[in-house]
Amino acid sequence: MNSRWVFLSVNTHLPSWASTLITTFKTKIYDNPSAKTSRFVLNHVDISRLLPHCGREGHFHLCSSIHASIIKHFEFFDSENGGILNALVVWNSLLSAYSKPCALSDALKLFDEMPMKDTVSWNTLISAFLRNGQFDMGFGYFKRMLELGFCRFDKVSLTTILSALDGPEFLYVNKMIHGLVFQSGYELETTVGNSLITSYFKCGCSGLARRVFDEMFERNVITWTAMISGLAQNEYYEESLKLFEMMRNGTVDPNSLTYLSSLMACSGLQALKEGRQIHALIWKLGIESDLHLESALMDMYSKCGSMEDALQIFEYAEELDEVSMTVILVGFAQNGFEEEAIQIFKKMVKAGIKIDPNMVSAALGVFGVDTSLALGRQLHALVIKNNFSYNPYVGNGLINMYSKCGELKESINVFNEMPQRNSISWNSMIAAFARHGDGFGALQLYEKMKFEGVQPTDVTFLSLLHACSHVGLVKMGMEFLNSMAKDHGLSPRTEHYACVVDMLGRAGLLTEAKDFIVALPENPGPLVWQALLGACSFHSNSELGKFAAEQLVVAAPGSPAPYVLLANIYSSKGNWKERAKTIKRMKEMGVAKETGISWIEIEQKVHSFVVWDRLHPQSEIIYGVLAQLFRPMADEGYVPDKKFILYYLDQDGNR
C-alpha cells in the first residue's frame, strides 16, 4: 500500500506558489468542504516535492502543518510494501525544509526525534550546520555518524565536509578526510576527487591539489575547471593557462566556467594576446552574451590596458548587472581615465540604473586631488539616501575622497560615524592624517587602532612612515620599520624603504639615507633612488644627487625624474653649464618631462592649466589679470625665483 497523508488547507493562508504547485498533485476534494477550507490528499512523492518549496520560500507554518499531520497519521509508517522507505523520504524532505538558519534548531530537534534515519538524514543535517557556519556542530555530527556505525557515510558525506573546508586552518582536516577517502574506497570517484581539488586550493595547498588531479583515474569538465580556476585564484596564472591549453587539446570540452577561469588567468598575467584568443573561442561557441563572461572579458581588457575593447563590450552588452558596471568603472579608474569613469557613473544614475555599494565604492575610488569636491559631496548624499553608510568599503571610499579633496575634517567625521570598521578603514584614516601633514594625528590614531585590537597591515606602516617623515620622527620611523617583521611578521616592500629614505632625507641625514640603501637586503627600485634624489634636490646636494640620478637612470631609463631633479639641483647652485648638459642629455635620450598641471574648482567645475596654456576659453582674460598683478606684487617687494621655471612673464605680460 502507498502511504498517503490528508491535509486541511485554509485557502486564505496558502501562498500563491503553493496553490499552483498543489494543482499538479494528485488530489481528492471531499464532498462537504467549508466555504474557506478544502481537504486534499497527497502521497509521499507529493509531500517530498512540496516540503522543499516550503523551506526555500520560508513558509515554515506549512512545514509545521505537514509535520503535525505526519505525526498524527502514524499508521502510514507501515513497513509493508516499502512503507518505511516512503516515510523516510518524507522525513528527510521535512528535515531539509527545516535546515535554514532561522529553523536550524527545529531541524536538530526533528533529527533527534526521527523514528528512523538513513545516510541522507545525516548528510542533510551535517550540510545544514556547515552551510550556516556552525563547523563544530557539523564536524561533530559527522564524527558521531562514524562512531555509531548505523548508517555508512557515502560520497555525498565526503563532498559535503570537503566543501566547508575554506582556509589554511582547515588543511589538517582536509588531509584527514583525504585519508578517509582512501580508507573507504572512494578515491576513484570523480566527484570526490573534484571536491578534494577545490578544498586543497581553498586551503592554500596548490601542490596537493595538483597531485590529486594528476592521480585521478577519470576527469570531467568539472575536474579541469576546478584545477584551472584554483590555479588562477591562487595566482598561478601561467600554469592555469597552460592547463587550459592542455584541456583544449584533449577530449573534454571547456564550459563557460572554464573560460571564465582562463580569462581570470589572462587578467592576472595581463596577457592580451591570449585573452583575445579566448574571446574568439567564446564568440565561436556563441556564448559571448553570457553575463559573467562579459564581465570577465571587460576585466581582462581593462587589466591589459585595452579600455577601448572593454568599453565596446560594455556598450554592446544585452544585459548589465552590478558586477559588470563595477568592472567598467574600476577599469577606467585603473587606466587613468578618471573623468570617463565619473561620466559613466553619472549616466548610470540618470538612467535610473540600480546603484549598489560596490559601484559607489568604485566611483569613489576614482577621486584624486584634482577631482570636484562638489561631486564628491553629491556622491556622499547618494550614499546617505540609499542607506549605504553601513558598508565599510563605501565608508573607506568617502574617507579617501574627502582626504584627497582637502577636507580632512570630513574624513574624520565619516570615520567616527562608521558603524563598522575594518583594517582598511583605519589605514585610510591614518593615511589621511599623513597626507595632510598631521603626523601626530596619524600616530595617535595608530595607538587607538592597537587599543581596539585591530591588526596593522603593511599599508598601515606605509602611512606611519609617511607621517614620521613629515614630523621628523626619524627614530620612531625606524622603530616602525623594524617592528613590521619582528612583531607582526610583515615583510617591508620597496615603498616602505622609499619612505624611510624620504624620512632620512627630509631630516637632512643624506649620508645615512645612502648607507641605508646600500645595506638593503634587496636591489633598490626606482622609488628608492628617486626618494634619495628628491632629498638631494631639497638640500641642494649636487655630489650625492648626481650619484642618485645615475642609479635612477639605470633603474628607470624612461623616467624624466633623474634629469629634472638633477637639473634643479644644478639650478639651485647656479651651475647653468651642468644644468644645460643634463637637459641636453634628457632630450638625446628621448625622455620627455611630464607636464605639470594646476587646477581650481569654481562652481562645481574643475579648471586645469599647464605652463603657457592658451587652451582655456578665457585664457586672454586670465593672462591679463596676471599681468596686472605683477606691478603691485613688485611694489610689495616680490622678487620671482627664476631658477626652476622655463618661462617668466614680465610685468607687461611678455615672456
Side-chain angles (χ1 to χ4, degrees):
M1 122 180 184
N2 290 327
S3 302
R4 304 177 74 82
W5 285 267
V6 180
F7 298 95
L8 187 67
S9 168
V10 181
N11 294 332
T12 55
H13 295 157
L14 197 65
S16 58
W17 63 266
S19 300
T20 306
L21 184 66
I22 287 169
T23 58
T24 64
F25 294 154
K26 299 175 182 178
T27 64
K28 175 181 178 182
I29 305 299
Y30 283 73
D31 295 333
N32 298 313
S34 68
K36 291 191 176 181
T37 63
S38 63
R39 299 180 72 192
F40 53 92
V41 181
L42 307 176
N43 62 26
H44 72 280
V45 176
D46 301 331
I47 292 290
S48 63
R49 291 175 60 191
L50 177 60
L51 283 168
H53 286 276
C54 293
R56 280 194 297 270
E57 299 293 331
H59 293 287
F60 297 109
H61 62 285
L62 283 179
C63 295
S64 300
S65 298
I66 296 172
H67 189 182
S69 295
I70 291 172
I71 295 172
K72 183 177 179 181
H73 296 85
F74 61 91
E75 64 272 13
F76 295 120
F77 295 106
D78 192 350
S79 60
E80 295 180 7
N81 300 317
I84 290 179
L85 182 60
N86 292 341
L88 260 174
V89 171
V90 176
W91 281 117
N92 290 336
S93 298
L94 185 60
L95 186 62
S96 178
Y98 280 136
S99 298
K100 300 296 180 288
C102 58
L104 201 52
S105 59
D106 294 326
L108 181 57
K109 186 176 180 181
L110 172 65
F111 180 83
D112 290 337
E113 295 177 356
M114 280 173 62
M116 58 199 76
K117 303 180 185 76
D118 63 358
T119 303
V120 175
S121 313
W122 286 89
N123 289 346
T124 302
L125 186 68
I126 293 167
S127 176
F129 280 124
L130 296 178
R131 278 200 318 272
N132 289 286
Q134 298 188 28
F135 301 113
D136 288 342
M137 293 292 289
F139 296 147
Y141 269 85
F142 180 68
K143 182 181 178 182
R144 185 178 167 191
M145 178 186 181
L146 297 177
E147 290 173 345
L148 293 176
F150 295 142
C151 301
R152 189 180 187 277
F153 66 88
D154 59 7
K155 60 183 180 182
V156 176
S157 312
L158 296 169
T159 56
T160 299
I161 293 291
L162 289 168
S163 66
L165 307 181
D166 188 357
E169 66 273 17
F170 290 110
L171 180 58
Y172 182 71
V173 180
N174 205 335
K175 292 180 178 180
M176 286 178 60
I177 300 299
H178 195 174
L180 199 58
V181 167
F182 277 97
Q183 188 179 17
S184 55
Y186 285 113
E187 67 274 12
L188 298 180
E189 286 287 345
T190 305
T191 55
V192 175
N194 296 344
S195 294
L196 280 168
I197 291 172
T198 303
S199 62
Y200 271 131
F201 271 124
K202 289 195 295 184
C203 292
C205 197
S206 305
L208 290 177
R210 183 61 194 247
R211 183 176 173 182
V212 172
F213 175 83
D214 291 338
E215 293 178 357
M216 285 183 67
F217 179 75
E218 182 182 350
R219 302 172 187 148
N220 57 21
V221 66
I222 299 173
T223 314
W224 286 93
T225 303
M227 196 66 204
I228 293 168
S229 172
L231 287 169
Q233 289 172 359
N234 284 269
E235 300 184 6
Y236 294 100
Y237 303 122
E238 193 170 346
E239 292 87 337
S240 179
L241 281 181
K242 286 180 180 179
L243 200 65
F244 174 71
E245 186 63 29
M246 187 187 304
M247 179 186 184
R248 288 193 59 241
N249 293 330
T251 57
V252 180
D253 293 325
N255 61 17
S256 59
L257 291 176
T258 320
Y259 287 110
L260 202 64
S261 302
S262 61
L263 286 171
M264 185 193 303
C266 291
S267 297
L269 283 175
Q270 297 183 350
L272 182 59
K273 179 183 176 182
E274 289 79 1
R276 291 190 191 280
Q277 291 172 346
I278 293 171
H279 191 178
L281 290 171
I282 291 170
W283 265 95
K284 186 177 179 181
L285 292 170
I287 56 175
E288 71 279 358
S289 297
D290 182 286
L291 195 58
H292 300 295
L293 285 174
E294 283 180 334
S295 297
L297 284 165
M298 282 190 286
D299 182 64
M300 181 272 295
Y301 282 124
S302 299
K303 297 272 178 63
C304 294
S306 183
M307 283 308 301
E308 186 177 347
D309 290 314
L311 186 59
Q312 187 176 31
I313 295 171
F314 179 79
E315 290 177 341
Y316 285 97
E318 296 177 5
E319 183 184 357
L320 292 170
D321 65 353
E322 292 84 355
V323 175
S324 54
M325 288 185 283
T326 302
V327 165
I328 199 70
L329 283 172
V330 173
F332 273 115
Q334 290 176 341
N335 284 277
F337 299 102
E338 290 85 359
E339 184 60 32
E340 288 81 355
I342 291 293
Q343 294 305 319
I344 285 180
F345 184 77
K346 285 182 177 179
K347 289 179 182 178
M348 291 176 182
V349 175
K350 289 179 180 178
I353 295 172
K354 185 179 179 182
I355 305 297
D356 75 345
N358 291 327
M359 294 166 62
V360 174
S361 180
L364 288 168
V366 170
F367 278 74
V369 292
D370 59 341
T371 317
S372 168
L373 175 60
L375 179 60
R377 294 191 189 280
Q378 290 176 358
L379 265 176
H380 194 175
L382 184 69
V383 168
I384 296 171
K385 182 180 177 181
N386 289 277
N387 196 28
F388 291 157
S389 300
Y390 71 90
N391 189 295
Y393 296 100
V394 172
N396 300 341
L398 287 170
I399 291 171
N400 288 322
M401 181 273 292
Y402 279 124
S403 170
K404 290 177 181 177
C405 291
E407 292 289 332
L408 180 59
K409 287 185 178 179
E410 293 292 345
S411 292
I412 296 171
N413 290 338
V414 171
F415 179 80
N416 290 336
E417 292 172 4
M418 287 179 69
Q420 182 183 359
R421 303 181 190 125
N422 54 23
S423 61
I424 299 173
S425 313
W426 292 90
N427 290 345
S428 299
M429 197 61 240
I430 292 172
F433 278 117
R435 186 179 291 121
H436 285 258
D438 189 352
F440 291 109
L443 296 174
Q444 287 174 1
L445 190 63
Y446 174 63
E447 291 301 319
K448 186 177 179 182
M449 177 183 180
K450 289 196 298 182
F451 180 77
E452 295 199 9
V454 181
Q455 288 296 318
T457 66
D458 60 337
V459 178
T460 313
F461 286 101
L462 197 60
S463 298
L464 291 172
L465 288 169
H466 188 45
C468 290
S469 178
H470 276 283
V471 294
L473 296 175
V474 175
K475 184 178 178 181
M476 182 174 287
M478 298 307 295
E479 288 175 356
F480 280 136
L481 182 70
N482 295 329
S483 175
M484 285 183 67
K486 181 181 177 182
D487 301 326
H488 302 282
L490 300 171
S491 299
R493 293 182 281 116
T494 303
E495 292 85 350
H496 295 92
Y497 296 136
C499 252
V500 171
V501 172
D502 178 71
M503 177 180 67
L504 294 169
R506 283 176 182 266
L509 304 172
L510 297 180
T511 303
E512 289 82 350
K514 180 185 176 183
D515 293 341
F516 174 80
I517 295 174
V518 172
L520 284 177
E522 58 187 57
N523 188 31
L527 286 176
V528 176
W529 290 117
Q530 187 167 329
L532 179 61
L533 182 55
C536 293
S537 177
F538 182 79
H539 292 284
S540 301
N541 188 321
S542 57
E543 183 180 350
L544 186 55
K546 184 178 180 181
F547 168 76
E550 290 172 351
Q551 300 300 319
L552 184 54
V553 168
V554 174
S559 172
Y563 305 102
V564 173
L565 291 173
L566 188 58
N568 288 345
I569 294 174
Y570 289 134
S571 296
S572 67
K573 293 282 189 180
N575 192 341
W576 306 112
K577 184 177 180 181
E578 289 299 325
R579 180 187 185 278
K581 286 182 180 179
T582 304
I583 297 299
K584 181 181 179 181
R585 184 184 175 192
M586 181 175 73
K587 291 179 179 179
E588 290 173 349
M589 296 297 293
V591 178
K593 179 183 180 297
E594 294 180 5
T595 305
I597 300 176
S598 58
W599 57 86
I600 186 172
E601 182 182 352
I602 302 174
E603 296 180 353
Q604 300 185 18
K605 184 176 181 181
V606 177
H607 301 263
S608 300
F609 304 93
V610 296
V611 175
W612 204 243
D613 196 341
R614 293 285 182 182
L615 296 178
H616 195 278
Q618 295 176 293
S619 60
E620 294 302 323
I621 298 174
I622 293 170
Y623 280 108
V625 172
L626 284 173
Q628 292 174 12
L629 287 172
F630 273 122
R631 192 177 300 277
M633 288 169 64
D635 292 341
E636 291 290 333
Y638 170 73
V639 179
D641 185 356
K642 305 177 185 179
K643 293 178 181 177
F644 303 113
I645 58 175
L646 295 177
Y647 304 111
Y648 172 66
L649 292 173
D650 61 25
Q651 58 185 4
D652 296 319
N654 300 315
R655 272 205 295 175

